[in-house]
Structures are given as C-alpha cells and as structure tokens.
C-alpha cells in the first residue's frame, strides 16, 4: 500500500523568545585547526580531538513564549558543550548535551479505533543561529532589527536525511510580509523565516488510510537532500543520556543568505536546545563568540 505524501513544512521554531532582560556573560569558543576533515557520520579520531576541546555553554529556560508553562519549575538543564574546528574550506561543529531519553519521534499517526490521529509527541532539537550584518540580539522580542542564518537540527526529521535545515530569519519592528507578529511594549516585532532553496529529502505522511499499524511515522525520507537547504551536513547520536550532534559546512557556500566564516575573525552565534516530548522544554544561550583569530 502506497502512502499518501505531501511536502513537509516545519512549524515555526521560537528561538530565544524572551522578555528582554539583563544579559549574561558572553562566551568565547576557540576555533581550532584540524589535521584532516572528520567524517560526519562515522567514528573518527578528529572528532575525538574536538571532543577534548568542548567548551561549556551556560543556558537558561526561554521565557515569555508559548511554552513558558512547560518550563516553569522544570529542573532539566542541558549541560551544553560545543567545539569547532576547520580544515581546508570546511568548518566543523560538535555539540553535546544531556537528555534523559532520546526523542526521535515527531507527531506520529496513532490508530484510535477505526481512524488515525496525530500524536502531540515532538522530537528533540538543536538550533544554531549566526549574526548576519551589523546588529544582533539574543532575544526575539526586542526592538532590534537584525538578520540571522540559522541551522535547525531535528532528531526525528532532519536527522533522517543527514542535514540540519538551513534557513534565514529576519526580525524587524517595521512590517515584513509574510511574517509572524508579536506585540511588545510600544509596538510589534515581525519575524520572517524562510528556508534556503533546495530539497530537504523527506515528505510528510498525510492521513493514512487502509492501514492496520497502531503507530505510523509522520515523516519519511525519500532521497538525498540538495541545494542550499542541505548545505549543513549533520548527524546526531544519543547514548547514555547525552546527545552528540556533528555539523559540517563550507566556510563560504556562495549563498548570500549563508554566514561566511573567515579565518582571523570572530563570529557571533547563539544556541537553543529543545528537549521535547508532549510539551516543549527549551533552553537558550547568551551570545557565543566563535574565535577564528588564531587561524590564518
């Protein structure tokens, strides 16, 4: 029996939605030279070298968003650590964090009597966003107008096809179309998110019929992703209560919507970790400064 498929559309990820407050201490992550390009999906001594250079990244629960009730009183903290390195024209990131179990299912179809309904269960996620242009803010609900390049890794979706979805997000106090609108004191923040061009390599299963399984995945892999949407290769593994996710991308993809990493410079970024399930639990970092200054 063939499944009925449609193009898969991600929900909006509320990265760093918060009530503006005093900033914490900025973190610097040194970017190191690697002896060879590590294999994204296999065991590699180079990844072991990066693992020895992991930098702890303080995080705090996101506040003021739709999931605020889910995080209130929650003692979970991701114990997030990252490392970064370059070889030739490639940049590589390693991210690790604690999670009591691997959430690798995104809203599966569940059979109830004679019909299927979508579960509320969601997968674990990690998002990294990088400053584009002169301005940046760790809070989405500020009066700062800025633009970021964002990599969105999802344990039950993008990990199926070995990428982190490459996208751009713009924040503005002036109207953007199309955009999601959020009221703030004295005005409105407009948030516009667009995926880079290309094929994400997967599809969403819509309303199964003539099936008998109790649970049916809602997302299936169809082929190799392509285009700028798939610029960021990624592979995530969960073991003994921790996620380890590896990323790789060219220093300069040539796409005007993608951040360019330059040797001898510094790059501002931010990370959000989503420990999902039936309610979303989200922690965000303050500014992180990737330091390429020792590389020439």
């Amino acid at each position: 029996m063939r499944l009925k498929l449609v193009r898969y559309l991600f929900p909006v990820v509320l990265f760093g939605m918060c009530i503006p407050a005093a900033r914490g201490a900025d973190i610097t992550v040194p970017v190191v030279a690697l002896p060879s390009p590590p294999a994204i999906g296999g065991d590699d001594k180079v990844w072991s070298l990066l693992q020895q250079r992991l930098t702890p990244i303080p995080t705090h629960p996101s506040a003021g968003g739709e999931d605020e009730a889910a995080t209130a009183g929650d003692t979970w903290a991701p114990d997030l650590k990252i490392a970064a390195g370059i070889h030739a024209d490639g940049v590589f990131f390693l991210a690790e964090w604690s999670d009591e179990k691997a959430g690798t299912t995104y809203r599966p179809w569940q059979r109830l009597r004679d019909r299927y309904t979508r579960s509320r269960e969601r997968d674990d996620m990690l998002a990294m966003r990088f400053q584009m242009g002169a301005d940046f803010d760790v809070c989405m609900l500020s009066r700062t107008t800025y633009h970021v390049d964002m990599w969105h890794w999802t344990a039950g979706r993008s990990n199926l096809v070995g990428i982190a979805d490459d996208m751009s997000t713009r924040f503005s106090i002036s109207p953007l179309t199309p955009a999601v609108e959020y009221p703030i004191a004295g005005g409105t923040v407009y948030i516009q998110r667009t995926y880079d061009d290309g094929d994400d390599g997967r599809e969403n299963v819509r309303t199964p019929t003539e099936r008998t399984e109790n649970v049916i995945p809602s997302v299936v892999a169809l082929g190799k992703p392509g285009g700028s949407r798939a610029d960021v290769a990624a592979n995530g593994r969960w073991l003994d209560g921790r996620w380890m996710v590896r990323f790789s991308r060219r220093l300069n993809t040539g796409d005007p919507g993608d951040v360019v990493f330059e040797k001898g410079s510094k790059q501002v970024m931010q990370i959000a970790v989503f420990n999902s399930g039936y309610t979303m639990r989200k922690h965000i970092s303050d500014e992180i400064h990737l330091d390429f200054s020792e590389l020439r």
Side-chain angles (χ1 to χ4, degrees):
M1 177 64 64
R2 292 180 59 83
L3 301 179
K4 184 178 182 181
L5 305 175
V6 296
R7 292 298 304 165
Y8 184 78
L9 299 177
F10 284 111
V12 173
V13 177
L14 302 182
F15 189 119
M17 173 164 283
C18 63
I19 300 170
R23 284 175 42 178
D26 295 342
I27 302 299
T28 296
V29 174
V31 182
V32 300
L34 300 175
S36 61
I40 193 70
D43 294 329
D44 195 297
K45 291 182 179 180
V46 182
W47 288 116
S48 297
L49 292 177
L50 274 181
Q51 198 164 28
Q52 296 170 20
R53 302 296 299 268
L54 287 168
T55 298
I57 306 296
T59 63
H60 50 87
S62 176
E66 65 180 9
D67 59 329
E68 184 176 12
T71 59
D74 193 347
T75 60
W76 173 74
D79 183 29
L80 175 66
K81 301 175 183 179
I82 68 169
I86 66 170
H87 179 80
D89 65 346
V91 62
F92 304 86
F93 290 87
L94 175 64
E96 292 190 7
W97 70 97
S98 59
D99 191 342
E100 63 270 22
K101 72 171 189 175
T104 58
T105 302
Y106 180 78
R107 302 202 62 204
W109 291 100
Q110 294 184 334
R111 186 174 181 84
L112 181 63
R113 298 185 181 89
D114 59 347
R115 65 187 181 91
Y116 286 95
T117 59
R118 294 288 297 277
S119 165
R120 292 185 296 110
E121 185 174 3
R122 290 178 283 187
D123 51 358
D124 296 327
M125 301 182 286
L126 180 139
M128 299 194 293
R129 63 179 192 160
F130 303 88
Q131 179 177 343
M132 301 279 287
D135 294 315
F136 181 80
D137 200 299
V138 296
C139 181
M140 291 173 66
L141 300 185
S142 72
R143 298 189 64 80
T144 305
T145 294
Y146 65 103
H147 171 211
V148 298
D149 180 18
M150 190 165 86
W151 304 353
H152 180 206
W153 174 85
T154 49
R157 291 166 285 167
S158 75
N159 205 47
L160 291 174
V161 290
I163 65 170
D165 286 286
D166 195 357
M167 63 183 76
S168 295
T169 312
R170 296 181 183 274
F171 304 85
S172 177
I173 57 174
S174 301
L176 297 173
T177 303
V180 179
E181 302 177 19
Y182 290 96
I184 61 172
T188 301
V189 174
Y190 298 86
I191 304 175
Q192 183 184 74
R193 178 155 300 143
T194 56
Y195 290 96
D196 288 11
D197 292 337
D199 187 352
D200 63 11
R202 57 194 185 274
E203 300 271 358
N204 189 33
V205 178
R206 173 176 288 181
T207 315
T209 58
E210 301 180 24
R211 301 289 295 271
T212 59
E213 302 97 312
N214 290 329
V215 179
I216 297 175
S218 66
V219 183
V220 295
L222 290 187
K224 185 177 180 179
S228 188
R229 175 74 172 262
D231 279 335
V232 184
N235 176 269
R237 300 177 182 179
W238 182 92
L239 180 66
D240 296 333
R242 290 190 68 82
W243 275 109
M244 179 176 68
V245 184
R246 303 164 173 177
F247 302 87
S248 72
R249 205 207 70 176
R250 296 193 305 279
L251 292 170
N252 185 352
T253 68
D255 188 309
D258 290 343
V259 64
V260 177
F261 299 106
E262 297 181 347
K263 297 178 182 179
S265 68
K266 291 186 178 181
Q267 173 67 50
V268 174
M269 67 173 295
Q270 187 185 18
I271 298 182
V273 178
F274 303 77
N275 185 356
S276 295
Y278 288 96
T279 57
M280 185 178 293
R281 302 148 74 194
K282 173 174 57 178
H283 274 238
I284 62 174
S285 74
D286 288 306
E287 276 191 16
I288 300 168
H289 295 260
L290 292 172
D291 189 357
F292 294 82
S293 61
E294 297 301 316
L295 303 170
R296 301 295 177 183

